[in-house]
Amino acid sequence: MARNLTHVWLLQARLRALSPIHVGGMGGDASADLALARDGAGQVYIPSTALVGVIRRDLECLDTDACDRLFGYQDSELPSRGSASPASTPWTQGWASYVRVKDATISSDAILEIRDGILMDRESGSAADDFLYSRQVVAAGAVIDLNIEVEVPVSCKRWKRAGRLSPPDAALAEKEIPRLASRLLRDGLTVG
């Protein structure tokens, strides 16, 4: 079932890495033990799953209810599967996210570096024997293109009647989406 939307906001930002980035991926690179994530075309990227949690965490600090409206939520009071009949468990106790974060592409001219690391022996507190590894990182200064879509649904009266948190409507979107955009552009994203 498709959602009934009034419009979709598209937020686009170009971020610059202030420190080296490593998002590991499958496959390998002959020059490093821990390779970077790459898409099907071989381009280094940051998966959306690595970004959405960071964005949500930053926004929850501003306003938890608004964050739940945009990113969705599931009521913690929901019964477990099979413990209640569908008629006694209304589906209105949560919804999926109205925010879609796309995979972030890293500029093709970004400098890739190899960093070496060692495994520490916890008992001796010194480097473990015969365990040196290398990982590939994107150097500081790389440009990252970020694309976020925010769906704004048609307001539903049943949410207001139920007295529950309601999904984002046009009024909330007019307030929260610009705040999201300005927060991203002003502060950037802090991972770690």
Side-chain angles (χ1 to χ4, degrees), residues 122-145:
R122 292 184 181 189
E123 291 181 22
S124 68
S126 62
D129 290 334
D130 300 321
F131 201 90
L132 173 69
Y133 67 91
S134 60
R135 68 180 174 145
Q136 199 173 32
V137 297
V138 177
V143 175
I144 303 156
D145 289 322

Side-chain angles (χ1 to χ4, degrees), residues 5-171:
L5 305 176
T6 60
H7 56 281
V8 176
W9 286 65
L10 175 61
L11 306 175
Q12 296 179 314
R14 182 159 278 174
L15 307 176
R16 184 168 304 279
L18 298 178
S19 62
I21 300 170
H22 174 81
V23 178
M26 296 295 293
D29 186 301
S31 62
D33 299 318
L34 303 172
L36 290 166
R38 293 181 183 269
D39 63 16
Q43 178 72 26
V44 176
Y45 78 108
I46 301 174
S48 62
T49 53
L51 296 167
V52 73
V54 173
I55 294 169
R56 182 176 179 139
R57 180 204 63 206
D58 282 356
L59 293 178
E60 275 182 330
C61 294
L62 294 175
D63 186 337
T64 303
D65 283 347
C67 187
D68 284 346
R69 288 177 183 210
L70 292 171
F71 284 90
Y73 82 106
Q74 182 174 347
D75 197 346
S76 59
E77 302 295 318
L78 278 176
S80 61
R81 280 183 195 238
S83 66
S85 68
S88 66
T89 307
W91 62 271
T92 57
Q93 294 179 325
W95 56 83
S97 179
Y98 285 92
V99 178
R100 288 184 301 198
V101 178
K102 307 269 180 133
D103 292 338
T105 57
I106 297 176
S107 61
S108 58
D109 62 346
I111 298 170
L112 305 182
E113 300 174 341
I114 304 294
R115 301 281 174 99
D116 293 324
I118 58 170
L119 176 69
M120 295 298 293
D121 183 323
R122 292 184 181 189
E123 291 181 22
S124 68
S126 62
D129 290 334
D130 300 321
F131 201 90
L132 173 69
Y133 67 91
S134 60
R135 68 180 174 145
Q136 199 173 32
V137 297
V138 177
V143 175
I144 303 156
D145 289 322
L146 181 65
N147 290 290
I148 302 171
E149 291 179 2
V150 182
E151 299 172 335
V152 181
V154 173
S155 185
C156 292
K157 292 179 184 175
R158 73 171 176 267
W159 293 97
K160 292 184 173 91
R161 281 196 314 262
R164 293 193 175 108
L165 184 68
S166 61
D169 56 16

